[in-house]
């Protein structure tokens, strides 16, 4: 099978390039337009004005005082989870257990913060490191199952999410694990104690908005990830593995070793996201039963929408975060905030279509070209 | 430990326990039967969760507007099928990744059902219990299996139907061929992606029935959290049963039993770790997968997309 050179299809020179650029952009514009149109239609059905809804979303996400800082805080764990997803997908691994890995990472952070004693900054760093290790270790279970017994990681990571919910539920009720020792009453308290002041992430104040330094960490990691995947031997091996296990093996890349490492790193970043969320003030610095709040699932979608490009994941994470923070302002318009989930899902579906159509079209052209040669 | 054994004794001698195990297991079984067919054709259909919820909501709507449970059931089938259509066409007509499509479809249905439910607030009612004369008099198992609401009995028809379709028809043979060796199937003139889409449609319809059963045959009202991840337990049951109908059904019943056990504990006044019981299906499936994947081969082309000329 040979890939037909673009020039042979479009004709040489500039016009072809312009045409192909338009051909690439147009389907995206169209399908996103249809997704937004459907969302607006859904709002209209409820008898509300989509303009007001859009305005409320914008207010909640950026315009009202202090809101864009909040949006950036929400974007941070989304970006971290997305980076983890990127590593996995590049290596051909589909880790969809971020929701659980994130929760496990937050649990580790909570344990360090509420049970260990020592200087604050040290504990904070230890907590973040342990959170990452916990997330990575949790994903490591899936890695072991995959490379020792051939269990597909999609299923095992998915099942591990639900196990993590129960694990968390158990830990926060158990005295020797994470239960809030200060709380009185039997098993009424369903959250850990709040992280002490000294173990929280420091905040940056900018133009009346606040965000924690976790954002900077995530941004640095995104750039680092882009560099490592694109410019290092490790990244090359990983991508090789993702393209073809066979080629990777024949060039001396151990699928088990590189793949396990990628899966653990993938989970580790999700775990770090959980630790950062907790230390950055999510749900009042406490881990409760609903701590993860779909951050894992959404971070995964962020990575896919960014087409597994670490840099493109940054604006995508902000878009998703703004939908989240903006949805808090929807109550005033009388539209259920669930509309935001619908919009998100429609956007994802819409952005899946153009590359698939393009792929099929190229295949068809390649087949046609091959036929002519014969 | 003594408390645990007492609880076991109490619960396994209580007929209501078996009844609720069958009800909870039947819900899983509807979805798992469909999932087996989809996986035999080579798709890990993550959107069962969405199909179940779509079926449940559409079923509720159907009942709300018609006041008739059979109409609700048909609407549920349509709802499940609709979600399956998204999954099938996105992943096997276009070539979008099946997991991405499935996860997104789940999010979409969850959001849409929650949104519309808040807007319409449809009402549903549980169908009456129909006892099969004679059979329901069998001690312990009789009332559990044959003293249920009528939608439950659909399952008893769907089990042999699914078996017949998969193993005794040309269509079933082609579905299995497409999941084992799409290249070979393609060469022998089978439209691979069409068979895969059809397998997903079949799964969607079954999930739709399952969803409608949940509302009309079990709970009696709709709640957006009603499915709550049990679609994934159905997928787990398929792995638990290693793609064999008998094993899959056994898995569904066991998981239903664990769930019933968890729900019955507080009623019978026993303290037992609810988290442990709730995690049992996942834990068991992980262990079983670890133990058996080498012996029981999965469909060879499972989760691998097919594009003619590409490997």
């Amino acid at each position: 099978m040979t890939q037909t050179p673009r020039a042979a299809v479009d004709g040489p020179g500039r016009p072809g390039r312009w045409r192909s650029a338009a051909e690439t952009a147009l389907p995206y514009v169209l399908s996103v337009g249809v997704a937004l149109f459907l969302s607006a239609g859904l709002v209209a059905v409820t008898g509300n004005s989509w303009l007001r809804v859009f305005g409320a979303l914008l207010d909640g996400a950026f315009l009202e005082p202090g809101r864009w800082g909040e949006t950036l805080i929400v974007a941070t764990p989304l970006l971290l989870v997305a980076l983890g997803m990127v590593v996995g997908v590049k290596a051909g691994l589909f880790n969809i257990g971020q929701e659980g890995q994130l929760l496990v990472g937050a649990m580790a952070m909570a344990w360090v913060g509420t049970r260990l004693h020592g200087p604050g900054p040290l504990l904070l760093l230890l907590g973040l490191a342990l959170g990452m290790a916990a997330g990575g270790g949790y994903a490591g279970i899936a890695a072991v199952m995959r490379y020792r017994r051939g269990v597909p990681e999609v299923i095992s990571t998915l099942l591990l999410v639900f196990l993590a919910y129960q694990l968390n539920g158990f830990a926060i009720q158990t005295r020797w694990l994470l239960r809030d020792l200060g709380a009185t009453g039997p098993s009424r308290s369903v959250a850990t104690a709040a992280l002490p002041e000294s173990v929280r992430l420091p905040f940056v104040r900018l133009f009346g908005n606040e965000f924690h330094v976790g954002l900077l960490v995530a941004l640095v990691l995104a750039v680092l990830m882009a560099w490592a995947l694109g410019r290092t031997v490790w990244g090359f091996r990983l991508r090789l593995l993702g393209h073809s296990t066979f080629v990777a093996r024949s060039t001396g890349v151990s699928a088990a070793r590189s793949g396990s490492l990628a899966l653990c790193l993938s989970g580790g970043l999700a775990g770090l996201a959980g630790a950062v969320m907790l230390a950055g003030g999510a749900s009042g610095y406490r881990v409760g039963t609903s701590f993860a709040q779909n951050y894992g699932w959404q971070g995964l979608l962020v990575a896919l929408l960014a087409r597994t490009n670490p840099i493109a994941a940054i604006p995508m994470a902000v878009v998703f975060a703004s939908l989240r923070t903006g949805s808090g302002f929807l109550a005033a318009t009388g539209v259920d905030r669930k509309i935001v989930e619908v919009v998100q899902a429609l956007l994802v579906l819409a952005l899946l279509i153009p590359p698939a159509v393009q792929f099929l079209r190229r295949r068809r052209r390649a087949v046609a070209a091959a036929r002519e040669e014969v | 430990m003594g408390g645990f054994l007492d609880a076991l004794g109490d619960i396994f001698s209580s007929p209501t326990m078996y009844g609720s195990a069958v009800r909870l297991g039947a819900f899983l079984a509807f979805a798992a039967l469909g999932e087996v067919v989809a996986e035999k054709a080579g798709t890990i259909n993550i959107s069962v969760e969405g199909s179940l919820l779509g079926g449940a909501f559409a079923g509720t709507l159907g009942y709300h507007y018609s006041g008739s449970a059979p109409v609700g059931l048909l609407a549920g089938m349509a709802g499940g099928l609709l979600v399956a259509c998204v999954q099938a066409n996105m992943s096997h007509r276009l070539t979008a990744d099946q997991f991405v499509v499935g996860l997104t479809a789940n999010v979409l249905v969850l959001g849409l059902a929650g949104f519309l439910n808040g807007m319409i607030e449809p009402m549903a009612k549980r169908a009456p219990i129909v006892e099969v004369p004679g059979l329901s008099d069998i001690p312990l198992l009789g009332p559990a299996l044959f003293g249920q609401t009528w939608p439950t009995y659909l399952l008893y028809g769907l089990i042999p139907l699914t078996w017949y379709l998969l193993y005794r028809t040309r269509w079933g043979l082609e579905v299995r061929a497409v999941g084992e060796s799409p290249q070979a199937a393609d060469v022998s003139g089978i439209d691979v992606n069409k068979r895969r889409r059809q397998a997903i449609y079949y799964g969607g319809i079954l999930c739709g029935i399952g969803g409608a059963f949940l509302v009309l045959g079990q709970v009696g009202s709709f709640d957006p959290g009603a499915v709550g991840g049990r679609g994934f337990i159905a997928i787990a049951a398929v792995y638990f049963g290693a793609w064999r109908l008998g094993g899959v059904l056994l898995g569904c019943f066991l998981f239903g039993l664990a769930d019933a056990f968890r729900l019955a504990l507080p009623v019978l006044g026993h303290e037992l770790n609810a988290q442990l019981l709730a995690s049992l299906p996942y834990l068991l499936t992980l262990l079983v997968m670890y133990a058996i994947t080498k012996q029981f081969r999965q469909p060879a082309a499972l989760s691998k997309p097919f594009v003619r000329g590409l490997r």
Side-chain angles (χ1 to χ4, degrees):
Chain A
M1 182 225 89
T2 52
Q3 201 78 22
T4 315
R6 296 294 286 291
V9 176
D10 292 335
R14 280 189 86 75
R17 199 184 303 163
W18 278 112
R19 210 188 119 201
S20 92
E23 256 181 27
T24 315
L26 192 66
Y28 279 100
V29 173
L30 267 180
S31 59
V32 169
V34 168
L36 292 178
F37 180 77
L38 284 178
S39 316
L42 202 57
V43 172
V45 167
T46 62
N48 287 283
S49 131
W50 63 270
L51 257 175
R52 271 190 66 207
V53 168
F54 183 70
L57 284 177
L58 217 55
D59 281 349
F62 300 106
L63 299 180
E64 290 288 311
R67 291 310 290 176
W68 62 259
E70 189 62 32
T71 300
L72 290 182
I73 290 178
V74 171
T76 304
L78 290 179
L79 178 57
L80 284 171
V81 169
L83 291 177
M85 186 69 194
V86 168
V87 178
V89 173
K90 289 282 181 195
L93 293 165
F94 212 82
N95 168 19
I96 57 175
Q98 280 89 354
E99 188 86 353
Q101 292 143 13
L102 184 146
L103 197 56
V104 173
M107 282 159 66
M109 177 82 223
W111 185 78
V112 170
T114 56
R115 294 297 159 96
L116 296 186
H117 302 284
L122 198 70
L123 280 187
L124 178 62
L125 285 179
L126 181 68
L128 293 177
L130 212 61
M132 192 164 175
Y138 204 60
I141 300 174
V144 169
M145 292 185 73
R146 162 150 185 151
Y147 290 107
R148 297 194 75 167
R149 311 290 299 189
V151 178
E153 78 285 354
V154 181
I155 299 296
S156 53
T157 51
L158 182 65
L159 295 182
L160 284 168
V161 172
F162 296 95
L163 214 52
Y165 289 150
Q166 303 304 331
L167 214 61
N168 179 48
F170 176 70
I172 60 180
Q173 286 178 17
T174 308
R175 295 190 72 84
W176 53 271
L177 283 167
L178 291 175
R179 184 164 164 198
D180 185 357
L181 296 175
T184 47
S187 57
R188 286 299 114 199
S189 104
V190 280
T192 61
L195 280 189
E197 292 267 0
S198 59
V199 197
R200 299 175 182 181
L201 281 171
F203 275 75
V204 180
R205 278 192 75 88
L206 213 64
F207 310 116
N209 281 271
E210 280 192 329
F211 53 88
H212 55 69
V213 295
L215 174 70
L216 306 177
V217 174
L219 288 176
V220 168
L221 279 175
V223 175
L224 208 64
M225 183 72 72
W227 171 78
L229 284 173
R231 295 271 183 274
T232 65
V233 176
W234 171 77
F236 180 70
R237 284 203 178 130
L238 216 62
R239 286 183 289 137
L240 200 59
L241 186 64
H243 278 295
S244 160
T245 347
F246 179 73
V247 175
R249 202 176 303 139
S250 41
T251 47
V253 178
S254 155
R257 193 182 308 156
S258 296
S260 300
L261 191 69
L263 200 51
C264 288
L265 187 57
S266 176
L269 284 165
L272 181 64
V276 164
M277 255 172 88
L278 179 64
S283 52
Y285 296 98
R286 292 164 189 273
V287 179
T289 42
S290 59
F291 179 82
Q293 289 171 35
N294 294 337
Y295 273 88
W297 304 119
Q298 291 190 345
L300 183 165
L301 295 180
V302 166
L304 296 168
L305 283 194
R307 308 200 52 194
T308 65
N309 177 334
I311 302 298
I314 300 171
M316 268 313 166
V318 175
V319 169
F320 265 61
S322 63
L323 279 171
R324 271 189 95 110
T325 49
S327 71
F329 275 49
L330 279 183
T333 66
V335 174
D336 194 326
R337 60 189 299 173
K338 290 228 169 59
I339 185 79
V340 166
E341 280 175 43
V342 179
V343 174
Q344 278 176 347
L346 281 176
L347 274 181
V348 178
L349 285 181
L351 290 178
L352 282 175
I353 293 173
V357 170
Q358 205 178 21
F359 172 77
L360 282 185
R361 195 186 288 157
R362 278 210 197 125
R363 283 291 310 156
R364 224 165 276 155
R365 279 183 191 166
V367 170
R371 285 228 178 94
E372 269 170 33
E373 274 171 32
V374 173
Chain B
M1 203 57 209
F4 177 75
L5 288 179
D6 279 356
L8 269 185
D10 272 10
I11 280 171
F12 283 105
S13 58
S14 109
T16 51
M17 166 83 184
Y18 290 100
S20 74
V22 167
R23 266 193 300 284
L24 294 163
F27 174 63
L28 296 176
F30 281 115
L33 277 180
E35 181 70 12
V36 171
V37 177
E39 294 207 3
K40 278 283 184 191
T43 319
I44 300 182
N45 184 10
I46 301 269
S47 71
V48 276
E49 173 85 8
S51 273
L52 283 169
L53 192 62
F57 186 62
T60 316
L61 279 187
Y63 185 84
H64 179 70
Y65 286 118
S66 71
S68 131
V71 174
L73 197 73
L74 284 177
M77 287 162 76
L81 182 62
L82 196 68
V83 181
C85 278
V86 173
Q87 168 82 49
N89 287 290
M90 291 284 289
S91 58
H92 294 306
R93 194 183 289 275
L94 299 174
T95 47
D97 187 286
Q98 52 187 262
F99 302 120
V100 181
V101 175
L103 283 175
T104 319
N106 292 342
V107 175
L108 181 65
V109 176
L110 190 62
L112 210 55
F115 183 75
L116 294 175
N117 185 46
M119 205 170 79
I120 306 173
E121 295 183 345
M123 304 293 283
K125 212 178 77 204
R126 211 175 74 158
I129 287 175
V130 179
E131 293 198 343
V132 181
L135 289 173
S136 62
D137 297 331
I138 303 169
L140 223 52
L141 279 182
L145 288 173
F146 300 103
Q148 302 278 8
T149 54
W150 64 263
T152 320
Y153 301 132
L154 291 173
L155 182 64
Y156 305 155
L158 284 171
I159 294 169
L161 177 71
T162 304
W163 174 83
Y164 183 79
L165 275 177
L166 257 186
Y167 295 102
R168 287 293 180 274
T169 64
R170 186 183 175 85
W171 183 80
L173 182 66
E174 292 185 0
V175 158
R176 285 180 290 138
V178 151
E180 287 295 342
S181 173
Q183 268 82 17
D186 185 46
V187 168
S188 58
I190 302 170
D191 188 337
V192 172
N193 283 323
K194 189 173 175 186
R195 286 287 170 273
R196 288 187 168 176
R197 288 198 297 272
Q198 288 168 341
I200 296 176
Y201 296 153
Y202 182 75
I205 293 175
L206 256 59
C207 282
I209 300 177
F213 158 78
L214 178 70
V215 173
L216 302 173
Q218 192 181 336
V219 183
S221 65
F222 178 78
D223 174 78
V227 179
R230 278 191 283 168
F232 300 123
I233 299 195
I235 299 178
V238 173
Y239 277 81
F240 181 88
W243 299 274
R244 298 166 172 202
L245 287 182
V248 171
L249 289 171
L250 177 71
C252 289
F253 181 71
L254 277 182
F255 296 166
L257 201 63
D259 219 14
F261 197 59
R262 182 173 61 90
L263 296 174
L265 277 177
V267 182
L268 294 172
H270 292 290
E271 280 263 351
L272 224 149
N273 195 322
Q275 278 89 22
L276 182 69
L277 278 170
S279 56
L280 220 52
Y282 308 108
L283 215 58
L284 267 179
T285 305
L286 283 169
L287 288 175
V288 166
M289 284 202 302
Y290 190 83
I292 67 160
T293 31
K294 281 275 162 84
Q295 286 92 328
F296 292 93
R297 217 174 34 80
Q298 61 178 30
L302 189 59
S303 85
K304 295 191 179 67
F306 176 78
V307 180
R308 184 178 284 172
L310 284 186
R311 276 169 161 290

